[in-house]
């Protein structure tokens, strides 16, 4: 489909629809965490069951992201986006009405399926609708909304649980989803990727590998890293992913062509994304507990005090998108990642059992600016590093790596926290959190180094023009 045809749906409508849909999917990663005590009080269940209300969503979401993107490329991105949105909305209603903990876990797993189909297609549909010259700003707004969702999940969940009921963390999705469904049908233009048949062996290998690894990561902190199921998941998942890589290097029409990783731009931004989410997810996981459990803030008070971090993307990310259009994404992304690392390191230094909010504020602001500078240019770099027909699977692969990074981050941070501290007192919590935050800071700094390995925009354009066939995003209108 030509770019002119794709734009008939309207860039503004595409931005609104894809941003809200992305917000819903990203929000549900962490929105349940602060509602778990209330859920247990109403529905019963042990600690193991409560953990699965979080893990069930993360697991299906991460595992099926690349498959969802491949389905959209093959059968129509708008069509599959609407289908995923419908599944996600219906599962949200089922979760809100769940009569018991088992049915809630099942609904959360189905939510993850819908989100996995919907989320990677938001970026491809947005790219198809927005003119090349305005994509930086569009990606900036899209990235800001998604970053806000990830960071504000505990706040939204805690506020709704505290002032209304835990069911509303799921009911919130229903009116949004019902409003988006007709808008997506009327305002988004259909587009396709490759017409090649679905890669069934590659899909099975990738999905099985991701399932094993993500299962091991999300269950490791709770079940123990030496548990038989955890070790089986990690080793079997790694073996299946290795098989996926070997298969994809030889397959005629692989789901994820390994040649994409020969591009320094594609390989660099994906490495940076995985490391960024590893450091950020794990840090938010601990800091939200620190503000409530140690400093004594309510969920709402804690969320408001984290706004200099979590709300900063709404202000800075659109500007970051414009900067990426003018000077290229690499310097903006790298700067953002190094600022994020600096903020986390500063927070580790000033955190105490009775720290004042004023002492934490500079770290929150610096971290917020850093996160904002990362999100928009990162999306731009991913989409511009591949051909238009491959943007769907590129988006799916990047989102899958982000999810694996997030799951790995929570697992790593929780393990470091448990080894160095605990929940006994505020002081023991801080003793565990500090080395975890230092680790998060170091990982995000590594992400910044990975971003520096991305070629400059001018060099990337020269390589794209000399490659055959390799039209990059900017040549999509031809």
């Amino acid at each position: 489909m030509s770019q002119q045809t794709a734009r008939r749906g309207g860039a503004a409508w595409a931005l609104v629809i894809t941003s809200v849909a992305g917000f819903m999917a990203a929000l549900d990663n962490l929105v349940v965490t602060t509602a778990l005590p209330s859920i247990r009080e109403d529905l019963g269940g042990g600690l193991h069951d409560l953990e699965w209300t979080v893990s069930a969503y993360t697991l299906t979401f991460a595992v099926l992201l690349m498959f969802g993107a491949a389905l959209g490329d093959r059968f129509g991105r708008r069509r599959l986006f609407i289908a995923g949105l419908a599944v996600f909305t219906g599962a949200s209603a089922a979760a809100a009405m769940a009569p018991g903990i088992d049915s809630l876990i099942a609904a959360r797993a189905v939510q993850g399926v819908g989100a996995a189909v919907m989320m990677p297609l938001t970026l491809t549909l947005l790219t198809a609708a927005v003119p090349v010259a305005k994509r930086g700003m569009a990606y900036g707004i899209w990235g800001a909304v998604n970053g806000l969702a990830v960071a504000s999940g505990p706040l939204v969940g805690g506020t709704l649980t505290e002032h209304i009921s835990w069911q509303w963390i799921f009911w919130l999705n229903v009116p949004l989803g019902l409003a988006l469904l007709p808008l997506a049908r009327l305002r988004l233009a259909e587009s396709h990727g490759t017409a090649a048949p679905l890669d069934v062996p590659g899909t099975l290998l990738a999905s099985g590998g991701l399932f094993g690894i993500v299962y091991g990561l999300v269950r490791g902190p709770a079940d123990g890293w030496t548990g038989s199921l955890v070790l089986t998941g990690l080793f079997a998942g790694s073996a299946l992913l290795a098989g996926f890589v070997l298969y994809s290097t030889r397959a005629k029409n692989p789901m994820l062509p390994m040649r994409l990783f020969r591009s320094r731009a594609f390989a660099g931004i994906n490495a940076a994304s995985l490391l960024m989410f590893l450091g950020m997810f794990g840090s938010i996981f601990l800091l939200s507990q620190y503000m409530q459990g140690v400093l004594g803030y309510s969920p709402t008070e804690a969320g408001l005090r984290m706004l200099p971090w979590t709300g900063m993307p709404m202000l800075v990310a659109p500007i970051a998108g414009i900067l990426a259009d003018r000077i290229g994404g690499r310097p903006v992304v790298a700067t953002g990642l190094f600022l994020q690392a600096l903020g986390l390191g500063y927070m580790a230094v000033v955190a105490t059992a009775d720290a004042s909010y004023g002492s934490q504020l500079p770290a929150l602001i610096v971290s917020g600016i850093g996160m904002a500078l990362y999100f928009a240019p990162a999306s731009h770099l991913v989409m511009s590093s591949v051909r238009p027909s491959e943007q769907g699977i590129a988006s799916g692969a990047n989102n899958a790596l982000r999810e694996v990074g997030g799951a790995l981050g929570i697992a790593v941070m929780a393990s470091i926290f448990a080894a160095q501290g605990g929940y006994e007192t505020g002081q023991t919590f801080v003793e565990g959190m500090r080395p975890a935050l230092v680790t998060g800071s170091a990982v995000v700094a590594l992400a910044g180094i990975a971003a520096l390995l991305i070629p400059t925009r001018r060099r990337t354009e020269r390589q794209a023009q000399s490659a055959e066939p390799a039209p990059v995003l900017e040549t999509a209108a031809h």
Side-chain angles (χ1 to χ4, degrees):
M1 172 175 292
S2 71
Q3 292 293 305
Q4 294 296 330
T5 303
R7 287 179 200 148
R8 289 176 189 166
W13 277 112
L15 180 58
V16 170
I17 294 167
T18 59
S19 294
V20 174
F23 180 89
M24 293 163 62
L27 181 72
D28 273 52
N29 263 309
L30 295 174
V31 72
V32 179
T33 53
T34 47
L36 292 178
S38 297
I39 292 173
R40 183 179 185 182
E41 185 177 341
D42 279 3
L43 301 183
L47 179 62
H48 183 77
D49 298 313
L50 293 177
E51 290 167 344
W52 269 112
T53 63
V54 179
S55 300
Y57 181 85
T58 303
L59 196 58
T60 53
F61 186 28
V63 165
L64 296 174
L65 273 164
M66 284 200 293
F67 182 52
L71 287 175
D73 282 350
R74 180 68 178 84
F75 297 109
R77 292 162 177 165
R78 183 186 66 179
R79 179 183 301 170
L80 267 294
F81 172 81
I82 292 172
L85 178 59
V87 169
F88 181 85
T89 303
S92 296
M97 297 185 291
I101 193 69
D102 292 337
S103 55
L104 176 60
I105 292 170
R108 287 283 288 165
V110 178
Q111 260 193 317
V113 174
V117 175
M118 174 178 69
M119 184 65 174
L121 298 177
T122 60
L123 201 52
T124 49
L125 288 166
L126 181 62
T127 300
V130 178
V132 174
K134 296 182 180 179
R135 281 180 187 154
M137 180 181 290
Y139 289 147
I141 297 172
W142 181 90
V145 173
N146 279 269
L148 178 64
V150 170
S152 65
L155 164 64
V156 174
T159 301
L160 290 173
T161 301
E162 182 180 349
H163 297 292
I164 309 178
S165 71
W166 66 263
Q167 286 89 348
W168 275 93
I169 64 180
F170 302 115
W171 281 127
L172 177 67
N173 294 324
V174 176
L176 292 175
L178 292 176
L180 289 183
L181 283 168
L183 286 176
R185 178 67 183 83
L186 295 172
R187 298 294 182 178
L188 293 179
E190 186 59 282
S191 65
H192 294 77
T194 176
L198 282 177
D199 177 15
V200 176
T203 298
L204 293 175
L205 286 170
S207 298
L210 286 172
F211 180 88
I213 289 176
V214 177
Y215 176 88
L217 291 175
V218 299
R219 300 310 309 165
D223 299 345
W225 292 105
T226 58
S228 59
L229 287 177
V230 171
L231 288 176
T232 300
L234 291 174
F235 284 115
S238 299
L240 287 171
L241 281 186
F244 170 70
V245 172
L246 290 174
Y247 165 82
S248 298
T249 59
R250 301 174 182 176
K252 183 178 180 181
N253 295 301
M255 180 174 70
L256 178 60
M258 289 297 111
R259 60 177 169 74
L260 296 181
F261 290 95
R262 296 174 192 163
S263 162
R264 279 174 52 196
F266 186 79
I269 191 56
N270 277 289
S273 295
L274 186 148
L275 293 169
M276 160 65 174
F277 272 68
L278 195 162
M280 184 185 69
F281 258 67
S283 299
I284 290 174
F285 177 74
L286 289 175
L287 285 171
S288 62
Q289 296 180 68
Y290 166 68
M291 287 202 165
Q292 295 176 59
V294 177
L295 300 183
Y297 299 126
S298 71
T300 304
E301 291 171 339
L304 290 174
R305 283 165 174 78
M306 288 186 74
L307 274 178
W309 183 8
T310 60
M312 194 63 70
M314 294 300 294
L315 300 177
V316 178
I319 300 172
I322 296 172
L323 282 175
D325 280 341
R326 294 184 177 179
I327 65 174
R330 183 181 77 157
V332 182
V333 166
T335 300
L337 291 170
F338 287 128
L339 285 175
Q340 177 83 80
L342 178 64
L344 291 177
Y346 187 92
M347 180 64 76
V349 172
V350 301
T352 63
D354 57 353
S356 67
Y357 181 63
S359 67
Q360 302 168 54
L361 189 58
L364 295 171
I365 292 173
V366 171
S367 294
I369 294 173
M371 185 168 67
L373 289 176
Y374 160 81
F375 270 111
S379 301
H380 202 167
L381 286 168
V382 170
M383 301 305 280
S384 62
S385 65
V386 299
R387 296 186 301 225
S389 63
E390 296 169 331
Q391 287 169 358
I393 194 58
S395 175
N398 184 256
N399 276 282
L401 286 171
R402 289 182 179 191
E403 288 302 309
V404 170
L408 181 59
I410 292 175
V412 169
M413 300 292 193
S415 297
I416 295 173
F417 170 81
Q420 300 294 322
Y423 291 94
E424 293 81 9
T425 66
Q427 184 59 36
T428 57
F429 189 98
V430 171
E431 289 171 358
M433 184 181 72
R434 276 179 173 167
L437 289 181
V438 170
T439 302
S441 174
V443 169
V444 177
L446 285 176
I449 295 172
L452 290 177
L453 298 178
I454 298 169
T456 62
R457 181 170 61 177
R458 188 171 298 174
R459 182 176 175 183
T460 302
E461 289 171 352
R462 285 201 305 266
Q463 290 175 345
Q465 290 167 2
S466 62
E468 187 64 40
V472 293
L473 195 59
E474 284 77 0
T475 64
H478 294 296

